[in-house]
Amino acid sequence: MAAKKPKMTQQVDEADQVTTCTYWVPRKKRHCKMSANKGSLFCGAHCPATEESQAVDAAAERIPCPLDPKHTVFKRKLAKHLTICNAREVASTLPYIVKNINAGEELENPEDEETNSKLKLHELEDTEFYSVIDKVRALYEKHVGNSIEDLHLQHASLEEPLSHEEYGQESRKHLVQASALLGILEHDQQLTDSTSFIEFGAGKGQLAFFLATALEAQHLSHSQVVLIDRMSLRHKKDNKVTNKELVQRIRADIADLRMSALPELQQTKRNVALSKHLCGAATDLTLRCVLAEGAAATDYILIAVCCHHRCSWRSYVGQSWLQAAGIGPREFAIITKMVSWAVCGTGVSRERRKAMAEAHEELGEPPTQRLTREQREQIGYQCKRILDHGRLEHLRANGFEASLKFYVPRDITLENVVLLAKRINPKCNNKDS
């Protein structure tokens, strides 16, 4: 009797075993989580184009979306995608959406701001470069100095999440910051009933979630949390709030938001504006929105500021204060280039160092004053605080007591400054009056 033939071992390709895309996303420092195409190591967005596939169907090429280059789209489907993309600009008929109502006065020469935004520090003349630094130092010493104090607080609603040792360092940092901001609200007696807490640039709503949890624990059922964000995001934390009536989410660009027309704000007597890490120009847009003529009464503002390199001259609320100090649009653009020194320490670029070295060799003269890394970080920090002080001056001119505080230590985040403002006479701004 013939021996049985041994079963042939089935060779399984590595690609057949893969269920998720193996593309490494540098920005997120992890692999893509999309499902891989059958027989491929990659999803449709990250599948590398081969010569064979290009020859078969050139239209299968994926290109960055013109509206938002963070994602890609099939070239052959681009026309349809532009009509449904979440980043598209849609004309709104909603009464609280008015195009660029908070964007600031339109510049006489808009192209100048675009030109200034493209400035490179290493291409500036030394005279101009160090002149701006001298102005920043003088303004900082006169108006800021050591006036920013610590205000490190915590809120009981985050004690349980912070007790989880399995949370990673990044997760814990965000929880510590949220706890500190809610602690400030409690310290300043802002967690009251019949109040609308408006979170600008809410993102996925982590701060709003814990705020709503705190309101629910204190039985402040007539208060609400209103989230403002221009993007439609997945995995929103505010969806997990037990009492859904406590939370309202409004999809709107802050530049286009007319607060006085928001029907949700008519349900309460007062407003509190807040935000955690409101990037650059978004802080100025928020201040314009809150202080706009006819806006619903907001008597308290709490904004953890960041990303000053994204500020724009048109929207910046402290223009007049800077201009009185001899700083115009061009100098403002230079300052917004320097602010990054405070958090990333890049300082003088390789191109500038090379140019300075070549000039030294060619002319036989000593190079312009060199800036150490410590000096660059100090100058960048001073630039940030000068931009924030201009915001304080604007708030004070509009009837607020305003100040800056360190709300968490620097080892939690380098962007550890919060802007606080309280209306001096809130009674005259009551909605019932």
Side-chain angles (χ1 to χ4, degrees):
M1 184 174 170
K4 276 188 177 181
K5 264 189 177 182
K7 284 186 178 180
M8 294 183 64
T9 56
Q10 187 176 2
Q11 299 295 325
V12 181
D13 291 336
E14 182 184 1
D16 293 332
Q17 297 176 336
V18 175
T19 57
T20 57
C21 178
T22 58
Y23 178 80
W24 181 259
V25 186
R27 184 174 63 87
K28 297 185 177 180
K29 298 181 180 178
R30 62 165 173 78
H31 288 100
C32 172
K33 294 182 179 179
M34 298 290 286
S35 298
N37 291 342
K38 186 176 180 180
S40 173
L41 299 174
F42 305 95
C43 66
H46 298 125
C47 187
T50 63
E51 293 182 6
E52 183 180 353
S53 65
Q54 287 178 345
V56 173
D57 187 5
E61 177 188 0
R62 293 188 72 92
I63 60 174
C65 172
L67 301 178
D68 181 7
K70 291 180 181 178
H71 66 274
T72 60
V73 60
F74 283 113
K75 190 174 182 179
R76 68 176 184 272
K77 296 183 178 179
L78 178 60
K80 180 181 178 181
H81 174 78
L82 293 177
T83 65
I84 60 175
C85 179
N86 286 337
R88 73 191 187 281
E89 187 172 313
V90 181
S92 177
T93 57
L94 296 171
Y96 54 82
I97 300 295
V98 181
K99 185 66 177 175
N100 286 334
I101 189 173
N102 303 315
E105 294 183 11
E106 192 168 349
L107 304 176
E108 294 182 3
N109 299 308
E111 61 275 6
D112 289 347
E113 184 165 29
E114 184 178 352
T115 301
N116 290 336
S117 68
K118 296 178 181 178
L119 285 174
K120 295 182 179 179
L121 295 180
H122 71 273
E123 295 178 350
L124 299 176
E125 293 292 334
D126 290 339
T127 304
E128 182 180 28
F129 182 75
Y130 291 104
S131 171
V132 174
I133 291 176
D134 290 340
K135 289 179 181 179
V136 168
R137 283 173 170 165
L139 286 173
Y140 180 85
E141 291 174 4
K142 181 178 180 181
H143 298 282
V144 183
N146 298 319
S147 63
I148 306 178
E149 300 175 346
D150 290 341
L151 186 59
H152 298 172
L153 300 171
Q154 291 184 337
H155 194 271
S157 64
L158 281 99
E159 287 180 359
E160 193 273 332
L162 284 170
S163 67
H164 290 220
E165 296 181 358
E166 67 272 18
Y167 286 171
Q169 185 180 12
E170 288 302 313
S171 297
R172 290 186 64 83
K173 283 183 176 182
H174 287 294
L175 293 174
V176 169
Q177 292 172 63
S179 179
L181 296 176
L182 295 187
I184 294 174
L185 287 177
E186 185 177 50
H187 175 268
D188 288 351
Q189 300 179 346
Q190 296 302 313
L191 299 180
T192 60
D193 211 359
S194 195
T195 301
S196 289
F197 297 89
I198 311 162
E199 185 183 0
F200 290 86
K204 293 189 176 181
Q206 185 188 60
L207 179 61
F209 170 80
F210 289 112
L211 175 55
T213 302
L215 296 178
E216 194 170 12
Q218 296 182 31
H219 306 290
L220 301 177
S221 57
H222 295 96
S223 290
Q224 62 178 350
V225 183
V226 180
L227 296 85
I228 308 294
D229 202 279
R230 65 180 178 181
M231 300 297 291
S232 177
L233 301 169
R234 295 180 294 174
H235 312 302
K236 295 184 281 288
K237 186 78 171 177
D238 48 290
N239 285 340
K240 299 181 180 180
V241 175
T242 306
N243 184 356
K244 303 299 182 184
E245 295 181 359
L246 272 176
V247 176
Q248 308 288 335
R249 181 176 277 268
I250 306 296
R251 185 177 177 185
D253 193 315
I254 303 172
D256 306 331
L257 180 64
R258 176 186 280 168
M259 277 183 59
S260 59
L262 262 180
E264 288 79 2
L265 302 186
Q266 307 307 316
Q267 302 172 19
T268 57
K269 294 181 179 179
R270 59 185 291 266
N271 300 328
V272 169
L274 67 149
S275 184
K276 173 177 170 284
H277 293 313
L278 196 57
C279 291
T283 296
D284 299 295
L285 296 175
T286 297
L287 295 180
R288 289 182 180 275
C289 180
V290 169
L291 301 176
E293 184 178 355
T298 302
D299 52 37
Y300 187 87
I301 300 170
L302 178 151
I303 298 176
V305 295
C306 76
C307 301
H308 296 74
H309 63 283
R310 299 185 67 179
C311 292
S312 71
W313 179 253
R314 178 182 175 180
S315 62
Y316 181 63
V317 296
Q319 287 184 18
S320 57
W321 182 75
L322 284 183
Q323 287 175 323
I327 295 177
R330 182 177 172 85
E331 292 82 5
F332 176 86
I334 295 172
I335 289 173
T336 60
K337 301 290 183 183
M338 292 178 178
V339 293
S340 60
W341 296 351
V343 291
C344 67
T346 52
V348 179
S349 64
R350 287 189 296 271
E351 292 88 349
R352 185 174 181 81
R353 288 198 299 270
K354 182 179 179 181
M356 292 168 65
E358 290 175 351
H360 174 51
E361 292 178 4
E362 183 178 343
L363 303 175
E365 298 175 353
T368 318
Q369 177 188 358
R370 304 290 182 104
L371 296 174
T372 65
R373 178 170 183 147
E374 291 73 20
Q375 288 174 323
R376 294 194 297 272
E377 289 182 1
Q378 183 185 54
I379 293 168
Y381 173 80
Q382 292 176 349
C383 289
K384 282 178 171 289
R385 301 293 77 86
I386 289 306
L387 294 178
D388 288 336
H389 187 82
R391 292 162 171 165
L392 297 185
E393 293 291 340
H394 181 72
L395 285 164
R396 289 165 183 166
N398 282 274
F400 281 80
E401 292 178 351
S403 62
L404 302 174
K405 302 290 182 184
F406 296 121
Y407 74 102
V408 290
R410 282 175 60 85
D411 60 351
I412 298 296
T413 174
L414 295 176
E415 300 280 20
N416 66 333
V417 172
V418 62
L419 184 155
L420 302 175
K422 189 173 184 179
R423 195 179 291 275
I424 296 173
N425 187 9
K427 290 184 179 180
C428 65
N429 293 281
N430 194 290
K431 294 179 190 178
D432 295 338
S433 61

